[in-house]
Amino acid sequence: MTIAGRIAAPQGGVRERIAESIAEFVALRQELHHHPELAFQERRTSARIAALLEGWGYEVTPLAGTGVIGTLRNGAGRRLAIRADIDALPIHEATGLTFASAVPGVMHACGHDGHTAILLAAARYLAETRRFRGTLHLIFQPAEEIGQGARRLIGEGLFDRFSVDAIFGLHNWPGVEEGRFGFIEGPAMAGIDQVDFRVRGKGGHGAAPHEAVDPVVAAAHAITALQSVVARNVDPLEAAVVTVGAIHGGAASNVIPDSVEMKLTLRSFSARTREVLAARVPALLTGVVQALGATAYIDYRPGFPAVVNHAAELRIAREAALAALGEGAVLPTLAPRTASEDFAWYLQEVPGAFLFLGNGEGAPLHSPEYRFNDAILLPGATLWAALAEAFLSGDIQ
Ligand SMILES: [Zn+2]
Ligand SMILES: [Zn+2]
């Protein structure tokens, strides 16, 4: 199995062919943007996707409520999955675009409308040209933003019903050059966990602290001690973040409250570091608070693991980008992102890679001013099409 063998598959003209119909997908992207739908409510969106896929000859299977799987078979061969996320966010759009959200308080502020249009543009090309051997499964996933879509698809038997040899996904990235791809080796996006922490003491008069157990002082010591986790427990060659993002307690200067509540976010890039945080943070919070006579109540809420790219699949995607779009389309380097993605769950099940596509300068993801850049639909769709042809080349065993 060699890269040379893969790239021997015919790839000429992919970009040109997709370019012929890209205007339709720009219009589709703007239509999806105008009708954003929140997690697990993407009924209009998934009906639109299903109808298009059926029209192009895909077998369409609904899964996980509003999820859609489009399958295209072209003889015996390998099985490839490509995923796009389809949900919007509870944000009130402030772009002023003519096709801005028609739904107050709901917005495609993460570009999932763009990811969907990119995959659909590739889907149409692949159905019309069929220059591959094997099976293609296109996964249109709901509810990425609440971190539940991928898990629910897997829980409903995604990989039992549709066995795949590899899976790929991408995310647009504001601040990265328009139309250029980033291929990050190994950990690409952070794992995330949350801790809800309550310190229970004994309330009393602010003038008689000896008769109370002060949860404010205990919470302050706990926050200070938390700084030692990254500094002293995490391997210095690994990255991690421990942030106390919220703290609430008390209401008056002369009253010692009964309790103080805190919310923490924990970020990590490897299973090992994630385990260190999961062990040390609760142990330290409990120990410090108990030493000061208070009681700790800890709700440790696991989120996603880190997105960890598989080396062979990342290389295949990179080679496909070089072959179809040229060297200018590939960024020499891109640093891992501290944001999180539920694509991580797929990569725990099957080999694959998660790629980044520059959206150009502009407002960040999840901003009410964020604008998906329609100029990246063409390179995005070209990459998916070229990758499918390379991965599902008849020459490859
Ligand atoms: Zn998002
Ligand atoms: Zn997103």
Side-chain angles (χ1 to χ4, degrees), residues 85 110-112 115 144-145 171-172 341 365-366:
D85 38 17
C110 206
H112 297 185
H115 304 162
E144 191 286 323
E145 293 293 359
H171 211 293
N172 79 93
E341 240 289 342
L365 299 170
H366 292 205

Side-chain angles (χ1 to χ4, degrees), residues 173 175-184 318 321-322 326-335 337 356-359:
W173 215 269
V176 174
E177 282 174 81
E178 172 186 308
R180 298 188 80 190
F181 288 92
F183 299 91
I184 301 175
R318 192 170 178 279
L322 286 169
E327 267 186 41
V330 176
L331 291 164
T333 58
L334 186 67
R337 315 277 101 184
F356 299 90
L357 174 55
N359 195 53

Side-chain angles (χ1 to χ4, degrees), residues 1 32-33 51 55 85 112 127 152 239 280 285 338 370 372 382:
M1 186 162 87
L32 294 174
H33 190 85
D85 38 17
H112 297 185
R152 182 156 162 202
R280 287 303 303 150
L285 292 174
T338 51
Y370 164 81
F372 179 84
T382 301

Side-chain angles (χ1 to χ4, degrees), residues 201-206 208-215 256-257 292:
K202 181 171 165 243
H205 199 294
H210 59 296
E211 291 173 3
V213 175
D214 190 344
I256 293 169
L292 292 165

Side-chain angles (χ1 to χ4, degrees), residues 65 79 111 142 188 230-231 275 380:
R79 299 144 309 174
V230 173
E275 283 165 20

Side-chain angles (χ1 to χ4, degrees), residues 40 42 46 60-69 86 139-142 149-150 152-162:
F40 290 129
E42 309 93 333
S46 63
V60 171
T61 310
L63 198 63
T66 45
V68 177
I69 316 297
I86 65 173
I139 301 169
F140 293 88
Q141 181 206 304
R152 182 156 162 202
L153 280 168
I154 293 167
E156 292 188 14
L158 175 68
F159 295 125
D160 304 322
R161 296 176 63 179
F162 307 92

